[in-house]
Amino acid sequence: MVESNLNLNIPTKAKATEHPRRPKEPILIIEDKKENQVLLEAICKRIGMETEIACDGKVALEMAAKHLYSLYLVDLMMPVLDGRSFIQEQKKREPNAVFVVQTAIDQTDEIIEVMKLGVYDYLLKPLHVEIVADRLEKALEYVYLKRMESVLIDEESKELKSQLEWLNYKESHRKTNEINSELHSILNLKTTLMQGSGLGSMSTIIDSIQQMKVDSGNGYLVNKEFWDLLYENHEHNISMMKGLDHAVDVIQTDTILKSTKSENLLQILPTIIDSFSKEINEKELKVNLPIVKQSVYLDLDIESLKLALYEIITNGLKYSKRKSHFDIFVTFVDGYFCLSAKNNIIEDEYAKQLTQFEKKLVEPFYRIHPPVESFHSKEKFSLGLGLTMVDFILHRHNGMFFIRNAIDHTIEVKADCIIAEIFLPIQNNKGTKHE
């Protein structure tokens, strides 16, 4: 290992502790030339990352066998063991390792061969400070997302098993509990109608008008403030009725499943996110969409699945903590295509109830939080029916929908989060079509 105390006077940005969505392990710089070692070490220091240095691939393999590194910054041309050989050997030991390579050859064929090694990115020599810093920032974010995906796969496998047991139990008791289920729906609807704007508020406003109305002889005079409030709540009621009509349409419309590539489903996500650009900017959220290279076949009614994704994203953004991240991941678990949406939740009195009542969230009209007025115009269903319809749509796809409270271990300070997950069975045959 070669160390350097030289100072290139490259200004340091933020410390690693200020980047919670980053791996904590140092970057391993694998470079034989002293001047490049010094430059790369200074750039890493600038973006707040610790480094260690190996002078060739053989030394790097020995170091990687003893320590964990966030990523490997590899020069392709080195003595003893070159960069290509190091990457091939390290991939056998650490299949999920992330590599950024340096090359002086700016030719298409060479770049293609480099990318075939399974590297994340490449840097052309001579190295430019700003470009290297930017590429490393992106690579570190990618490492974070890959590790999050790995954690999710483990959690989802356990959660899938647990939820299947719950669904079997719920189905076996469905008939004996039909009356209780109907009663719960009625109570949920009553609570929902009395929360936020709508019928509950209109009743209060009309009572106030009744007490303060003035008889002008030809009719009653109503204060403008009351009339404006009354009209605003009237608009909310119209929206709720439209939401009910929409839900009925979805329920009564036949679901026609067609064999579809999963990538076609994922192409919907950016458009949905773009439709919430105003709300995302107002809450200062960072949205991360999935990075997926694998494509599988799913039996889908693409329009109804689009509606389900819209509702999951609406719900996640609506209750996201300000200045936090909203992450969407794709994993493959036990024969299922799984799409997960994670958001850090607002810490209030309602958040404390989530763990206890998370399985009720898909019940018709059930709500823990009161309506979020800033998202009112974005909601397709209202009345607490959004997640109910997601569950209904997934059932028609022979899939499953779960929403659960969890602890986010991937950030510097552990925090409560909500993970909404859809599971769709992966199909082996192509060209299926059925109702």
Side-chain angles (χ1 to χ4, degrees):
M1 183 174 72
V2 180
E3 297 182 353
S4 171
N5 294 319
L6 295 180
N7 183 2
L8 293 186
N9 293 320
I10 298 176
T12 300
K13 285 186 177 178
K15 296 180 181 178
T17 54
E18 296 174 10
H19 295 273
R21 294 169 58 85
R22 252 194 199 177
K24 298 178 182 178
E25 300 81 13
I27 295 173
L28 181 58
I29 299 171
I30 307 162
E31 166 67 61
D32 62 315
K33 293 183 180 178
K34 181 71 175 180
E35 60 271 24
N36 285 340
Q37 291 175 3
V38 173
L39 175 62
L40 291 169
E41 190 176 30
I43 295 172
C44 291
K45 182 178 180 182
R46 180 194 184 201
I47 64 173
M49 288 299 296
E50 299 293 326
T51 58
E52 293 184 12
I53 297 176
C55 58
D56 59 56
K58 182 174 182 297
V59 173
L61 286 174
E62 293 170 356
M63 295 173 66
K66 298 176 184 177
H67 305 286
L68 183 64
Y69 296 98
S70 58
L71 61 87
Y72 301 94
L73 186 48
V74 187
D75 183 26
L76 289 182
M77 303 299 292
M78 290 183 296
V80 185
L81 186 70
D82 63 26
R84 284 184 176 83
S85 301
F86 165 76
I87 291 171
Q88 290 166 349
E89 289 300 313
Q90 188 59 25
K91 269 189 168 293
K92 295 176 185 177
R93 301 179 180 179
E94 191 183 355
N96 293 323
V98 176
F99 304 90
V100 176
V101 301
Q102 311 166 60
T103 177
I105 305 175
D106 185 10
Q107 295 179 1
T108 303
D109 291 345
E110 176 68 16
I111 298 303
I112 291 173
E113 289 303 313
V114 167
M115 298 310 290
K116 282 182 180 178
L117 295 173
V119 304
Y120 171 75
D121 204 352
Y122 66 92
L123 299 168
L124 290 175
K125 294 182 178 180
L127 300 175
H128 187 282
V129 172
E130 292 297 333
I131 293 175
V132 175
D134 180 65
R135 297 285 181 83
L136 289 179
E137 291 275 18
K138 288 185 171 70
L140 290 166
E141 176 79 1
Y142 176 74
V143 172
Y144 164 83
L145 292 172
K146 289 292 289 181
R147 291 184 181 179
M148 167 72 86
E149 179 183 282
S150 179
V151 170
L152 272 176
I153 289 174
D154 290 340
E155 289 186 353
E156 284 160 357
S157 185
K158 295 174 186 175
E159 186 67 19
L160 179 59
K161 198 170 295 183
S162 169
Q163 294 286 6
L164 284 172
E165 291 173 359
W166 164 252
L167 288 174
N168 288 332
Y169 171 83
K170 188 168 68 171
E171 183 64 23
S172 66
H173 287 71
R174 181 180 61 82
K175 290 184 178 180
T176 58
N177 288 324
E178 278 180 351
I179 295 176
N180 285 336
S181 178
E182 291 168 359
L183 178 60
H184 286 155
S185 292
I186 293 169
L187 292 173
N188 290 342
L189 179 57
K190 177 186 174 183
T191 302
T192 297
L193 290 177
M194 298 306 291
Q195 285 182 334
S197 301
L199 289 176
S201 293
M202 283 186 75
S203 299
T204 303
I205 295 166
I206 291 170
D207 285 341
S208 299
I209 292 173
Q210 182 69 24
Q211 295 173 23
M212 301 179 67
K213 67 185 180 182
V214 177
D215 191 344
S216 65
N218 295 321
Y220 294 113
L221 296 178
V222 179
N223 184 288
K224 181 180 182 300
E225 181 182 358
F226 282 116
W227 174 253
D228 289 343
L229 286 172
L230 198 61
Y231 184 79
E232 180 183 336
N233 282 272
H234 169 66
E235 291 290 304
H236 278 265
N237 286 334
I238 290 175
S239 176
M240 286 192 287
M241 293 306 297
K242 286 182 179 178
L244 282 173
D245 286 340
H246 194 186
V248 171
D249 286 342
V250 172
I251 292 169
Q252 293 182 339
T253 301
D254 290 336
T255 299
I256 300 176
L257 304 181
K258 296 181 181 179
S259 184
T260 308
K261 283 188 175 182
S262 56
E263 62 196 52
N264 294 339
L265 181 64
L266 298 180
Q267 287 170 1
I268 295 169
L269 294 175
T271 303
I272 297 177
I273 293 298
D274 286 345
S275 69
F276 287 95
S277 58
K278 177 184 175 184
E279 290 77 13
I280 290 169
N281 290 333
E282 286 177 352
K283 297 188 82 169
E284 299 180 69
L285 300 176
K286 172 72 183 299
V287 177
N288 294 295
L289 294 177
I291 302 170
V292 186
K293 295 183 179 179
Q294 182 179 353
S295 182
V296 296
Y297 278 90
L298 307 169
D299 281 351
L300 304 179
D301 180 305
I302 201 72
E303 286 304 314
S304 62
L305 247 299
K306 180 179 179 179
L307 184 59
L309 292 180
Y310 182 93
E311 285 304 314
I312 289 170
I313 291 172
T314 302
N315 192 72
L317 294 175
K318 184 164 57 173
Y319 298 117
S320 285
K321 186 177 181 180
R322 188 176 180 81
K323 294 185 178 181
S324 64
H325 289 76
F326 180 73
D327 300 306
I328 302 177
F329 299 93
V330 168
T331 51
F332 302 90
V333 184
D334 298 337
Y336 285 91
F337 169 92
C338 177
L339 185 143
S340 306
K342 177 185 76 67
N343 65 285
N344 292 105
I345 56 177
I346 302 166
E347 297 169 1
D348 56 19
E349 58 182 298
Y350 302 105
K352 299 173 185 176
Q353 305 176 46
L354 285 170
T355 303
Q356 185 179 356
F357 298 108
E358 61 183 26
K359 286 185 170 64
K360 289 180 172 288
L361 291 174
V362 296
E363 290 185 5
F365 312 114
Y366 184 82
R367 269 183 171 148
I368 291 179
H369 286 82
V372 179
E373 301 298 336
S374 59
F375 276 76
H376 171 72
S377 62
K378 294 290 187 178
E379 294 188 297
K380 300 289 188 184
F381 297 106
S382 190
L383 286 175
L385 278 176
L387 298 184
T388 304
M389 297 312 300
V390 173
D391 189 53
F392 176 83
I393 291 168
L394 265 294
H395 180 73
R396 284 224 173 148
H397 282 77
N398 304 307
M400 292 168 287
F401 171 63
F402 309 128
I403 183 165
R404 58 190 173 90
N405 190 45
I407 301 295
D408 190 352
H409 295 277
T410 62
I411 53 180
E412 192 72 21
V413 180
K414 294 179 184 178
D416 289 328
C417 66
I418 288 291
I419 300 178
E421 300 165 315
I422 64 171
F423 288 82
L424 292 163
I426 296 172
Q427 305 298 324
N428 295 321
N429 58 320
K430 302 179 184 179
T432 58
K433 178 179 179 181
H434 51 274
E435 295 186 14

